[in-house]
Amino acid sequence: MAKDGSEVTQATRVPGVPGGRRAPAGAAVLREEKTEAIRAAVFEELAAVGFARMSIEGIARRAGVGKTAVYRRWRSKLHLVLDVVSAVAAEGLPSPDTGSLRGDVRTLLEVAARALRHPMASQIIPDLLAEAARNPEIAEALRTALLDSQQGVAAAMVARAVERGELRPDADARLALDLMTGPLYWRLMVVRDELPKSYLDELALAVASALEA
């Protein structure tokens, strides 16, 4: 490591290796703690200034690293944001298995509501959705984050309800996901209203009843 704290990437000439050089030491081992600090800084910077005003310089400053540490991992702020969004998508929502459709829906609603209430999420998601209207790459990444990963959870939940005899075999998992997440997004992200104490219970009952009809 250099005296200024940056990662050293000087290549070494090695006999018998094509080109006479082996991979730079810094490129071979990118320090995980720096990578995680940068990813965390991306969320903080997005929440603070939005994607349009976000810069590699700002991310590096917030992460406590040099700009070269960021560029060594991602070639632009777009690719950095896409990577972070994809990582969040990979985590996905938990797949509840409470033994009943209504219980599963209620659990999933609780997790989704908690995520949408998070101060960073309430600022970042609308901003990225606005950028998605102008940038196909962001649009595709958000599709993966907000639809594809959650679709698998909804499909598993519906499949279990079918096995229990609560739903018809042709029950629509995509509709189930729409019914669950649509009202929450409207109330928390668009209207930005507080959820009444009984709201999640009532919504879970309404969603389960609609799917069972």
Side-chain angles (χ1 to χ4, degrees), residues 30-206:
L30 294 175
R31 293 176 57 191
E32 186 62 25
E33 65 269 24
K34 282 194 175 184
T35 302
E36 291 307 312
I38 293 168
R39 287 193 172 115
V42 171
F43 282 111
E44 294 171 3
E45 195 73 0
L46 277 172
V49 302
F51 179 83
R53 294 175 57 197
M54 187 179 75
S55 66
I56 295 295
E57 290 81 359
I59 293 169
R61 183 169 55 253
R62 194 179 288 272
V65 301
K67 288 192 299 182
T68 55
V70 181
Y71 281 117
R72 188 171 294 119
R73 293 162 172 81
W74 300 276
R75 65 178 181 269
S76 70
K77 75 172 185 179
L78 173 60
H79 291 91
L80 174 50
V81 169
L82 293 180
D83 176 69
V84 170
V85 169
S86 297
V88 171
E91 295 179 4
L93 290 172
S95 183
D97 188 4
T98 64
S100 72
L101 176 62
R102 183 178 175 184
D104 289 352
V105 171
R106 178 62 176 78
T107 299
L108 202 60
L109 288 174
E110 178 65 36
V111 174
R114 190 182 306 120
L116 291 174
R117 283 191 186 108
H118 193 284
M120 283 193 183
S122 67
Q123 294 170 301
I124 291 172
I125 293 176
D127 179 70
L128 287 181
L129 287 174
E131 290 295 331
R134 298 182 285 270
N135 190 312
E137 289 183 274
I138 291 180
E140 182 59 30
L142 286 179
R143 177 180 176 82
T144 299
L146 301 178
L147 174 60
D148 293 351
S149 61
Q150 282 79 8
Q151 185 65 34
V153 174
M157 187 179 69
V158 167
R160 284 192 292 269
V162 170
E163 291 176 0
R164 291 190 298 260
E166 295 177 284
L167 296 179
R168 301 184 308 274
D170 62 348
D172 190 340
R174 176 69 178 272
L175 176 62
L177 185 61
D178 291 345
L179 290 173
M180 287 185 290
T181 58
L184 281 180
Y185 188 85
W186 172 259
R187 291 290 292 262
L188 294 174
M189 307 298 281
V190 179
V191 179
R192 292 186 176 269
D193 196 7
E194 290 295 323
L195 299 182
K197 187 175 181 180
S198 62
Y199 182 79
L200 294 182
D201 291 327
E202 294 171 356
L203 181 56
L205 176 59

